[in-house]
Amino acid sequence: MRVEALLVSPVHAYEGRPTEPPRPDPTPLSVPRAEVHAHLGLAGDRYHNREAHRQASVTVFSADALDEVAVELGLPHLPVEKTRRNIILRGFPVDDLAATREREGAVFTLDTGSGPIRFQAHRPAHPCRWMDTQLAPGAFKALRGRGGVRCAPLDSGFLTPGPATLLVP
């Protein structure tokens, strides 16, 4: 398993109607090291320390799911940064971590070498209609059920791209 990318988005750019252009500076920043703050989110991200987003301050997403969507849409590649998700993983079924009507979301630990950081998975990160304009026509529908999971960090620490360990007790 590996962390493919770490993205922080200082601006909430996808507001309004997808037929209008996104707000200025819509591209998230790919960071070489993300600082995770317990119960607050990722330093520099638009949801960091926002009361309304305490249980959904970090979004974990599967690069594998995006690859599947690209194949379904007949495209060679889709830009992961346009999903505006924070932690992009490869090699783990991220969407299985989300809460369902039958069970709570998983508490999982992610370690990229600087020490383990626990996250509480909460709800699925449902795609929005912006995905049809930012990724490709049909992406909104194709990402349903595999848009990632909204989480709350339970510990502080650092994450870096590269090999990682993800444990679900």
Side-chain angles (χ1 to χ4, degrees):
M1 213 242 26
R2 60 182 292 111
V3 173
E4 290 285 303
L6 297 164
L7 304 169
V8 295
S9 302
V11 177
H12 188 76
Y14 297 163
E15 289 181 339
R17 299 175 192 268
T19 55
E20 304 289 327
R23 290 176 53 180
D25 192 26
T27 305
L29 305 171
S30 178
V31 294
R33 183 173 105 153
E35 186 174 351
V36 181
H37 296 160
H39 309 290
L40 300 176
L42 301 183
D45 192 68
R46 67 199 181 281
Y47 293 130
H48 181 271
N49 198 22
R50 299 277 190 229
E51 183 93 21
H53 296 281
R54 290 285 162 87
Q55 291 191 344
S57 61
V58 176
T59 306
V60 181
F61 182 68
S62 169
D64 302 308
L66 194 61
D67 292 346
E68 292 168 6
V69 168
V71 168
E72 288 174 20
L73 298 177
L75 300 169
H77 172 76
L78 289 171
V80 71
E81 64 275 359
K82 294 289 188 174
T83 66
R84 301 186 70 79
R85 304 310 196 222
N86 300 118
I87 301 171
I88 314 302
L89 303 180
R90 184 170 298 285
F92 189 86
V94 169
D95 295 291
D96 292 350
L97 298 169
T100 65
R101 291 178 191 220
E102 296 80 35
R103 63 173 173 79
E104 290 274 324
V107 172
F108 64 96
T109 302
L110 185 58
D111 189 347
T112 61
S114 298
I117 301 172
R118 290 175 306 133
F119 291 86
Q120 170 70 60
H122 289 288
R123 60 186 169 85
H126 299 297
C128 65
R129 290 217 177 266
W130 280 96
M131 296 301 97
D132 281 348
T133 62
Q134 297 302 303
L135 288 174
F140 167 64
K141 185 175 180 181
L143 279 167
R144 287 185 192 157
R146 50 187 170 186
V149 63
R150 304 292 304 267
C151 303
L154 302 177
D155 301 311
S156 295
F158 295 94
L159 296 172
T160 54
T165 304
L166 191 148
L167 300 173
V168 182

